[in-house]
């Protein structure tokens, strides 16, 4: 008798529950009726000390506390394990709580005569399909057909492990890992910790929900169309998508292996900016190209501005007008930068961004989606609406011949070239080139579930392979972020996004912005972000 | 009435002749019956001063002579123009002699109050399909169908131009630019200046023949399967294939634009080693990534050994046994390195190199060759034997589906990974990793025409994207390089190559070796080559 997909998914969930059952002491005090905003729950459920450990330290400070043994690794690990379990109860963000593995690892680290490694004792969470280090790592990559698939670690996890971290939680991702939300037939839907009626974004939405609740302070995501930056933005945390081939992706459980026209890169998601830089420094400092032959041999060389950066503001991408809170955030930050003495200009490359979407969406599935749809078919699980959106509803997604693939790649390269030329031109007027672009990481704050149908504010930069960092700015304020009743949408996407906005839907929703740099200038993006946050008074 | 391919090719040749007719004074004294070895011709045909300018200086010395105005740019340019015309008469290596353009450029440079640029006044030759700077640049890329195709410069030529060079000659390449020889239906066959019964190699065989006769001292080639290194080796000159994406290929006239599974890179070919380093320093020092968005942002950082390099000798690739002169060259250089205090070990990666050929040959033509064959068909020109060899006779060359392409790319990536792991392992015994591999750039010296049917000694490193430099070592010595009558070939390729060797066929043929480094360690390869040549007493 064939097992139905429902039975397989239900078994996977039962297995997951067994992991949560280990939580010790069990979580107590979670209300039966979960509140819209989950951020009040930790104060009800966790101990004073757990709250202190998980909330009161930056990552750098927590690392110092661990290194000086102010806290044992085990107590820090337990605090995050329990807070992660709470985040799971509130948002459905985990696929795995590695209780036994994490505690064993913590005890081992505590037993060392001297703290060792740049991440000594730090609990780190990972997106499920990356695999990890533990006794029984399986990865579904959110396909029902892959439930129970044995998996191990990957190079990135290994590097972090060697620096002394603790892996303790693995997080959800959507079907196909190609939605900007997080829903699968294996584990269901993950919700936003700030407002459960909104998505935490995706595809690394388990991470963003978890980190948004400080159930983790540093996690690993992956980004091919916005999958780090969109969820980071929707949950009010920091995220960084580096240029391709700087960080190893080797060892992930994934589909379409060998496809190369557009690929994904892992990157950090965290509660503070310093953690992004630390993560990159460690991931690249370990010379990962010696383990992963596909990586670029390029050291991490922190960038220092010798004068205030020149910032270009992308008020909109010419296709879909951002919602009012996003525009307000741009204005606030641009103003702060100007006040801090930076040159702030408008970003007007004179290039049609909708063309970028045509190219990149086609290159996501040059086989017309056949490979992925076959994996879905294998188990009989339904094709979810956002899978339909990204495969069936994109006229660009077709089975390509080799010649058609080359043509698409040539269009991609021409687009990259035109964009690079446009960036060069920013120096024409005053000899000073724009250093970074300040732009929205999405058309708005976290959207109501099922509505993430415009990728332009993130996927555009994947097409260009430009590094991008997301950082929190503000929160939707229904009183100030009024709908512009006079706006006339320019096209169907613009109309869809315009119609979506009603301020009251977005209560508590964080608003983040994105800093974009030129390809391979990852270090400069993080340096510019530091300058911008300094200008914001942080 | 349709014009036949023969008529079109003949018109192209007539047009080319018009360029040679400008040579002033005309070449005098070329014997009607050309000798087997063309290297004696310059002494008969050129003036004392022309011989001095074209023969007695290294590139660095000539640049100094130009900068100090010991010679005018015009006299240097004229000397090389005339010597190039002679090389053409002897070997059929040119597609274009840019007489007027070069002299005009030279006069302009002479008119400058101060010499300007790192290449001030240096004549540089280029492979035809790269295009160039001149009044009427057309490129056929060796397709009859493309005769008369307007073309311009490319980014690399622009960068060199800005450093003050003179472009004066463009050189032949084979049909499809995918032979390790140089024969096309447009211009016929190019022969080796050392022995006209042998090939100068290919696909940059016009350059190698020209530089082999010192009709040029620095030229630009391109390499996707050996097209810089094989011809450099066959003509006894220096050549360097950098890692991909360090030097711009943008602006070439080429086929299969947008294909990316295996791509080509330009690189220098020259009469001395210093020129390779100078070329790279200039090409990368100009930050070409600002003009070509596809390039890696990675500075050129000369490498310095702090102790003698550790050299691994690849005696053979396990598939095809090199001819005796090649093995002798390896022995001589290995011995010199050992005497100079270097650690010299055998290269035994434990990996089947024939697998690399299966992968790379398939990825050269993932459409089964359709695109290229259509361009050939367009004019009705015949498919040449070495085109048949590389497309029709390779069982791996097939029209692939997207899934099959991904599978091949995944095999490529796995092969790269295995090779990188094997290289890491060389440190296992003594903690010291091999710095570079010393290996044959071909199974032997230049082959008799039409016999270049094994690419393993070069294409293998393209699959891996490892940088490789070729340098001259010795000359075939029929008295010492006897055929090993006892050798039993291991497979059909080995048999073919074994049967080919008879020492007397190879009279005057130079023997070169190749230095291979890890991916992106281009600087280290050139540094190791300097150490090796020092050990050789140069």
């Amino acid at each position: 008798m064939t097992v139905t997909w429902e039975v397989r998914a239900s078994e996977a969930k039962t297995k997951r529950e067994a992991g949560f059952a280990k939580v010790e002491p069990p979580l107590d005090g979670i209300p039966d009726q979960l509140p819209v905003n989950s951020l009040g729950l930790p104060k009800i459920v966790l101990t004073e000390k757990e709250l202190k450990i998980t909330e009161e330290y930056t990552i750098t400070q927590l690392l110092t506390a661990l290194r000086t043994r102010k806290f044992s690794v085990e107590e820090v690990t337990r605090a995050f394990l329990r807070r992660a379990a709470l985040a799971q109860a509130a948002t459905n963000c985990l696929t795995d709580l590695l209780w036994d593995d994490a505690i064993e690892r913590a005890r081992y680290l505590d037993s060392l005569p001297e703290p060792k490694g740049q991440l000594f004792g730090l609990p780190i969470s990972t997106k499920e399909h990356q695999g990890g280090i533990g006794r029984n790592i399986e990865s579904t990559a959110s396909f029902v057909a892959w439930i129970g698939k044995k998996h191990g670690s990957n190079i990135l996890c290994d590097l972090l492990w060697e620096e002394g971290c603790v892996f303790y939680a693995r997080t959800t991702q959507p079907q196909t890992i190609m939605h900007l939300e997080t829903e699968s037939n294996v584990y269901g839907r993950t919700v936003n910790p700030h407002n459960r009626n909104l998505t935490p974004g995706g595809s690394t939405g388990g991470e963003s929900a978890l980190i948004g609740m400080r159930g983790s302070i540093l996690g690993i995501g992956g980004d091919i169309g916005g999958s780090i930056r969109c969820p980071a933005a929707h949950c009010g945390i920091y995220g960084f998508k580096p240029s391709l081939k700087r960080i190893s992706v080797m060892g992930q459980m994934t589909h379409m292996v060998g496809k190369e026209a557009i690929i994904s890169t892992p990157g950090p998601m965290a509660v503070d900016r310093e953690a992004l830089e630390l993560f990159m420094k460690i991931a690249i400092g370990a010379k990962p190209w010696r383990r992963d032959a596909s990586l670029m041999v390029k050291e991490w060389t922190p960038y220092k501005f010798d004068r205030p950066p020149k910032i270009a503001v992308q008020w909109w991408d010419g296709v879909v007008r951002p919602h009012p809170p996003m525009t307000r955030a741009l204005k606030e930050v641009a103003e702060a930068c100007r006040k801090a003495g930076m040159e702030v200009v408008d970003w007007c490359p004179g290039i049609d961004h909708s063309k970028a979407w045509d190219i990149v969406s086609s290159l996501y599935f040059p086989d017309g989606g056949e490979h992925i749809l076959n994996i879905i078919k294998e188990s009989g699980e339904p094709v979810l609406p956002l899978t339909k959106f990204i495969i069936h509803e994109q006229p660009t997604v077709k089975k390509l011949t080799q010649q058609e693939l080359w043509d698409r790649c040539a269009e991609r390269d021409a687009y990259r070239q035109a964009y690079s030329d446009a960036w060069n031109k920013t120096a024409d007027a005053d000899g000073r080139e724009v250093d970074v672009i300040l732009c929205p990481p999405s058309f708005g704050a976290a959207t109501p579930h099922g509505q993430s149908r415009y990728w332009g504010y993130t996927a555009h930069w994947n097409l260009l392979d430009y590094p991008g960092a997301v950082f929190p700015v503000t929160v939707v304020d229904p009183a100030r972020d009024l709908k512009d009743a006079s706006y006339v949408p320019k096209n169907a996407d613009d109309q869809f996004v315009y119609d979506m906005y009603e301020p009251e839907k977005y209560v508590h929703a964080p608003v983040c912005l994105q800093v974009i740099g030129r390809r391979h200038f990852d270090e400069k993006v993080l340096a510019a972000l530091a300058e911008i946050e300094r200008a914001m008074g942080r």
Side-chain angles (χ1 to χ4, degrees), chain A residues 58-124:
Chain A
T58 67
I59 292 176
T60 311
Q61 289 165 345
L62 188 61
L63 281 167
T64 304
L66 282 158
R67 206 160 36 241
T68 57
R69 294 188 156 160
K70 177 179 163 74
F71 301 123
S72 73
V73 179
E74 185 170 345
E75 63 191 336
V76 169
T77 300
R78 282 181 179 269
F80 279 101
L81 278 164
R82 288 190 82 237
R83 192 161 181 140
L86 174 59
Q88 161 62 20
T91 66
N92 188 32
C93 59
L94 299 187
T95 65
D96 248 332
L97 192 70
L98 306 171
W99 186 274
D100 292 338
D101 290 306
I103 296 207
E104 185 187 329
R105 169 71 167 167
R107 286 179 178 164
Y108 163 75
L109 292 169
D110 281 330
S111 77
L112 295 176
E114 290 295 328
K116 254 172 52 182
Q118 298 178 76
L119 295 172
F120 178 77
L122 191 76
I124 289 182

Side-chain angles (χ1 to χ4, degrees), chain A residues 70-393:
Chain A
K70 177 179 163 74
F71 301 123
S72 73
V73 179
E74 185 170 345
E75 63 191 336
V76 169
T77 300
R78 282 181 179 269
F80 279 101
L81 278 164
R82 288 190 82 237
R83 192 161 181 140
L86 174 59
Q88 161 62 20
T91 66
N92 188 32
C93 59
L94 299 187
T95 65
D96 248 332
L97 192 70
L98 306 171
W99 186 274
D100 292 338
D101 290 306
I103 296 207
E104 185 187 329
R105 169 71 167 167
R107 286 179 178 164
Y108 163 75
L109 292 169
D110 281 330
S111 77
L112 295 176
E114 290 295 328
K116 254 172 52 182
Q118 298 178 76
L119 295 172
F120 178 77
L122 191 76
I124 289 182
S125 51
T126 62
K127 193 177 185 179
E128 187 255 22
H129 80 118
Q130 287 161 344
I133 295 174
R135 252 164 293 219
N136 186 27
I137 301 293
E138 299 174 349
S139 294
T140 68
S142 292
F143 290 114
V144 173
W146 288 3
I147 287 172
K149 213 164 174 170
K150 299 286 172 210
H151 194 191
S153 184
N154 64 34
I155 288 177
L156 180 57
C157 288
D158 286 348
L159 295 174
L160 301 174
W161 180 262
E162 289 159 19
E163 292 295 336
C165 78
V166 176
F167 290 118
Y168 71 110
R170 301 173 67 209
T171 56
T172 52
Q173 70 246 323
Q175 185 183 53
T176 74
I177 325 186
M178 290 295 288
H179 306 175
L180 291 184
E181 300 197 6
T182 299
E183 184 190 16
S184 75
N185 290 315
V186 186
Y187 297 115
R189 190 190 286 291
T190 303
V191 301
N192 194 307
H194 298 269
N195 179 334
R196 54 192 313 101
N197 300 318
L198 304 175
T199 177
S203 68
T204 321
E207 280 300 322
S208 63
L210 178 65
I211 299 172
M213 273 194 79
R214 288 189 85 104
S216 167
I217 54 175
L218 177 60
I220 312 172
D223 195 316
I224 193 173
S227 287
I228 286 173
R229 293 160 295 148
C230 156
H234 285 4
C235 293
I237 64 171
Y238 292 80
F240 183 54
K241 175 197 84 68
S243 303
L244 293 172
K245 298 299 183 189
R246 296 206 71 177
I247 295 194
S248 179
V249 81
M250 220 172 93
Q252 280 187 358
M253 179 74 72
T254 191
H255 45 62
M256 298 193 281
V257 173
K259 179 173 86 74
E260 60 187 347
I262 291 288
I263 58 175
S264 77
T265 175
M269 298 167 74
V271 293
D272 57 51
R273 188 192 68 242
E274 277 182 359
L276 305 182
E277 178 98 27
L278 177 70
F279 179 97
M280 294 303 293
K281 196 184 94 184
I282 291 173
I284 297 181
K287 300 191 189 299
W289 49 81
R290 292 185 53 79
R291 308 196 197 182
D292 177 347
S294 77
L295 295 183
M296 191 163 35
V297 177
K298 187 173 163 79
E299 305 282 348
W300 182 258
T301 313
Y303 188 90
K304 277 223 154 72
F305 284 98
D306 52 12
R307 52 181 178 175
K310 180 172 175 181
I311 312 255
V313 180
Q314 182 204 42
W315 297 102
W316 76 309
D317 70 353
V319 185
V320 162
R321 178 75 65 176
H323 288 165
M326 195 56 81
T327 302
R328 175 169 62 82
L330 282 170
K331 279 186 191 155
E332 287 175 10
V333 176
E335 191 47 34
C337 289
R338 211 173 267 121
K339 277 197 179 137
M342 300 178 200
E343 192 182 350
V344 179
V345 299
D346 292 341
W347 181 249
C348 322
I351 289 172
D352 177 6
H353 280 217
S354 71
K355 173 111 179 97
W357 179 246
D358 290 346
I359 299 166
V360 77
S361 56
S362 170
L363 292 176
Y364 284 145
F365 308 101
D367 69 338
E370 186 175 274
H371 174 102
I372 277 188
L373 295 170
N374 280 342
I375 305 174
I376 292 176
K377 212 179 284 174
E378 205 181 315
S379 69
E381 65 171 305
V383 177
L384 293 178
L386 288 181
T387 302
K388 281 188 190 139
F389 161 74
I390 196 65
I391 298 180
H392 298 300
E393 294 169 25

